[in-house]
Amino acid sequence: MQVSCTVTNTGTVAGQEIVQLYVGDPDAAVRRPLRELRGFEKIKINPGDSVRVTFALDDRDFAYWDVAAGRGDGKFGAWRREGGEFVIEVGASSRDIRLRTSIDLPDDPKLAPLVPDEDLLKLGASRFTQGYR
């Protein structure tokens, strides 16, 4: 997947900008940061010019490391991408977001669905009991 934006210098002097790309998972079953930096590019722009910036995203950019996921080889830990809505943001910093959109992605078919921590707590169980006693 590619994410592109255009940055324009509306001033009268040449300038530089660091364009930053963030991904967020607002409905994650586990606690995740509001936004995670997934790419950045420093650009130089002359007065009145525009520069197109393109970032490439892959499955790992939407995933987190699940220490309890079985890999089928007796070991634990795998990158997990939950399905659902993801927010993609572009800005000059994490506190200066200038563009925002969202996309829906399906569950990762290679891994069993994740049981939310809240549901496990109701049962008095934990995702970490298998292999982590």
Side-chain angles (χ1 to χ4, degrees):
M1 167 186 309
Q2 290 190 334
V3 176
S4 297
C5 67
T6 302
V7 180
T8 302
N9 181 348
T10 59
T12 58
V13 296
Q16 297 182 29
E17 183 71 81
I18 298 177
V19 182
Q20 300 179 13
L21 174 71
Y22 295 90
V23 172
D25 185 355
D27 299 321
V30 297
R31 291 183 182 165
R32 294 185 70 176
L34 175 64
R35 60 182 54 93
E36 299 174 59
L37 181 65
R38 291 298 184 234
F40 63 91
E41 186 172 333
K42 184 176 182 178
I43 57 173
K44 295 179 180 182
I45 313 173
N46 290 320
D49 286 352
S50 296
V51 175
R52 187 92 170 146
V53 179
T54 300
F55 298 97
L57 291 171
D58 60 24
D59 278 346
R60 272 283 283 281
D61 291 312
F62 299 94
Y64 64 92
W65 184 253
D66 183 356
V67 297
R71 296 189 289 199
D73 59 359
K75 297 181 181 178
F76 293 88
W79 287 103
R80 176 181 294 279
R81 187 201 72 227
E82 293 181 88
E85 178 189 21
F86 287 86
V87 176
I88 298 174
E89 299 172 315
V90 177
S93 74
S94 65
R95 298 191 184 251
D96 185 8
I97 300 300
R98 313 233 178 130
L99 297 172
R100 177 179 287 123
T101 191
S102 64
I103 60 169
D104 285 312
L105 295 176
D107 282 329
D108 186 341
K110 298 179 292 238
L111 295 172
L114 181 68
V115 177
D117 289 341
E118 292 80 19
D119 293 348
L120 291 170
L121 288 172
K122 290 176 192 172
L123 299 171
S126 170
R127 298 186 315 119
F128 303 102
T129 56
Q130 189 177 22
Y132 287 91
R133 291 184 186 235

